[in-house]
Amino acid sequence: MLHMFNTVGLSSLLAIPGVTALLLPRQEQSFASTGNPILADGSIYSADPAPLVVNGSLYILTGRDEAGPAENAFIMNEWQVFSTETPDPLGSSWSLHQKIAQPQDVFSWADDGSAYAGQIVQGQDGRFYFYAPIKQRDTNSTDPFGIGVAVADGPLGPFTDLHPSGPIISQSVPAPGNTIQNIDPTVLVDTDGRIFIYFGTFGQLRGYELEADMITPKGSVTVVSTLTGFFEAPWLMKRGDTYYMLYAANNAGQDSPCTPTSYHACLAYGTASSPLGPWTFQGVFMDIVSSTTSHPGLFEWTNDEWYLVYHTRDAVGGTHFRRSVAFDKLLWDDSSSPPSIQKVVQTHRPAGSTQPTRNIASKATASANVTTPIQYWIAALNDERIETNPLPPDVWSSYNGEQSPQSMSLTYDWNSTVQANGVRVVFFADQPAGSNVGVPPPASWKVEYLNGNIWNPVNASDAYPTDVTDDPVEVSFATVETAALRVILEASGSGGQFGGVGVKEWEVMTPVAS
Ligand SMILES: *[C@@H]1O[C@H](CO)[C@@H](O)[C@H](O)[C@H]1NC(C)=O
Ligand SMILES: *[C@@H]1O[C@H](CO)[C@@H](O)[C@H](O)[C@H]1NC(C)=O
Ligand SMILES: *[C@@H]1O[C@H](CO)[C@@H](O)[C@H](O)[C@H]1NC(C)=O
Ligand SMILES: *[C@@H]1O[C@H](CO)[C@@H](O)[C@H](O)[C@H]1NC(C)=O
Ligand SMILES: *[C@@H]1O[C@H](CO)[C@@H](O)[C@H](O)[C@H]1NC(C)=O
């Protein structure tokens, strides 16, 4: 491993044209982390982490997110590896080995792009086997993804296709079957040398044993349907005599232990006493993160010290499609049988100094007096994020098809009395003003404050603007002292049918910034 430690930070190096290539011909860079996400400056994003410990070094295989700031798509063209000899979620020194592989370079049958979640495991022969979801260039399958296998002498490659005739698992091999999207492979080389692979997404989880050649599926497919809320991203592992399947789940709902909104995934797990199951659901072990996905990978560092690796959108410029790898300690409860996984606590690097702000909305608890459909999220109102191109959970909306309500209110409750003298409401709309379908701008709105137990109008100096802009003018009003404020919204509509109202953010201003 290269140890050319520098303190200038990755982004400043990359910003000097030519210098990167000159100093670092193998595209290896060292950087210091001060906490999660491990590389937080937004210079390089990283997603779908798969950890591997070799000889006292940790390697984390990831894809690289290259979506633009407002682009809602997984733009992933290459794999990269982070490595360290001192993994510590609170800060440590790392190397980033960029572009260790690209699909079309390693697999002659691959389409380019779609460098999605893969895993590198060490075989019994000591070599490194890279299981990767690969989009086949020529296929008659309804879904082109298959699982390719490449091998190398070290965890950083260079990798050579071990099965150059194509994927080992796809919709047509082992012929025909697996009529799912065959991505997210996870592989376990068991203590007795047997090899097992699981894969799948969109609620479908499948598995096989592999022959000792690491490529040939043995017997028939195992279909797993007992893991509650399974969505994707399986991670197969073993501790003691127990097999564990970690995965991304999204059984959503207001009372769900997993996630309140349908787009986010929590992390859940099941156990089995043999590697092909049967699998028993055990519970949720990590709550949703800032990005809709979080993708688990687990590693044992030394002596039963375990860490969960995942991704978030917490780096500078991060989005649901510009994710960054983070990791935190994972603890077992050996008093239960089989041993259970304790809830993982997410840690974050210390926040930088924040600008003083008059907006006190984030200190309030938000609620709506109408049902919030499951794809939207009440917490979007005061999360201090205004997305140019939001996903549904980045917005609060009343949109409920033909049942969207005509009148509704959104309320902020503070724990103590606050002073307020202005609001800004950032509306979301996908239909023109006056429409009675989709999400048009509202017909009108106004603000009231709680005076004792009576709602009174605030004395607003200006009209309440309904135009759709991410930077609306502040509606000012004579200062009120109150513990609650509400916005009354009238939906746009006609003929007895109303569009939804969409709000990206609702800011409440106090007179003096702090
Ligand atoms: C691990 O250590 C052994 C013994 O020193 C060495 O032979 C092997 O090459 C090392 N493997 C890697 C991947 O560094
Ligand atoms: C797809 O189907 C056509 C028609 O049956 C066949 O000629 C072609 O070889 C198939 N392509 C692949 C990649 O299997
Ligand atoms: C308000 O108070 C409750 C109870 O003390 C507390 O749980 C909650 O976090 C507080 N909310 C905010 C936004 O500070
Ligand atoms: C929600 O609040 C609005 C505005 O005050 C009111 O017109 C409407 O009836 C309320 N809806 C429900 C379901 O309480
Ligand atoms: C409302 O505010 C305006 C100035 O912003 C002030 O002239 C007026 O007296 C206020 N009215 C009430 C009822 O507070």
Side-chain angles (χ1 to χ4, degrees), residues 489-501:
L489 296 151
E490 298 298 329
S492 146
S494 58
Q497 183 178 306
F498 298 89
V501 175

Side-chain angles (χ1 to χ4, degrees), residues 383-406:
D383 64 357
E384 300 185 322
R385 287 185 190 277
I386 298 168
E387 307 285 348
T388 308
N389 188 15
L391 290 187
D394 300 320
V395 169
W396 176 83
S397 181
S398 61
Y399 174 72
N400 192 12
E402 292 175 9
Q403 311 301 317
S404 302
Q406 177 178 8

Side-chain angles (χ1 to χ4, degrees), residues 348-366:
H348 304 271
R349 62 176 56 211
S353 58
T354 49
Q355 297 292 328
T357 176
R358 289 176 53 223
N359 180 12
I360 54 169
S362 67
K363 298 188 179 75
T365 303

Side-chain angles (χ1 to χ4, degrees), residues 7-28:
T7 52
V8 285
L10 202 48
S11 53
S12 48
L13 259 185
L14 291 175
I16 308 167
V19 167
T20 303
L22 197 66
L23 291 177
L24 306 158
R26 294 181 57 206
Q27 292 188 289
E28 296 182 4

Side-chain angles (χ1 to χ4, degrees), residues 198-199 203-207 221-231 245 247 276-281:
Y198 281 85
F199 53 94
Q204 301 289 330
L205 176 60
R206 309 271 162 108
V221 71
T222 294
V223 177
V224 183
S225 54
T226 51
L227 293 175
T228 304
F230 176 84
F231 184 65
M245 187 77 74
Y247 59 94
L276 289 174
W279 290 96
T280 303
F281 174 70

Side-chain angles (χ1 to χ4, degrees), residues 411-471:
T411 302
Y412 279 156
D413 285 290
W414 285 269
N415 276 348
S416 55
T417 302
V418 297
Q419 285 195 332
N421 69 344
V423 296
R424 296 204 317 159
V425 180
V426 182
F427 291 108
F428 169 87
D430 59 16
Q431 298 294 321
S435 177
N436 70 351
V437 296
V439 182
S444 66
W445 61 286
K446 62 182 180 182
V447 175
E448 296 180 342
Y449 72 103
L450 197 58
N451 183 9
N453 51 14
I454 297 172
W455 288 101
N456 287 151
V458 296
N459 182 12
S461 53
D462 305 301
Y464 292 100
T466 57
D467 47 321
V468 175
T469 162
D470 283 350
D471 190 17

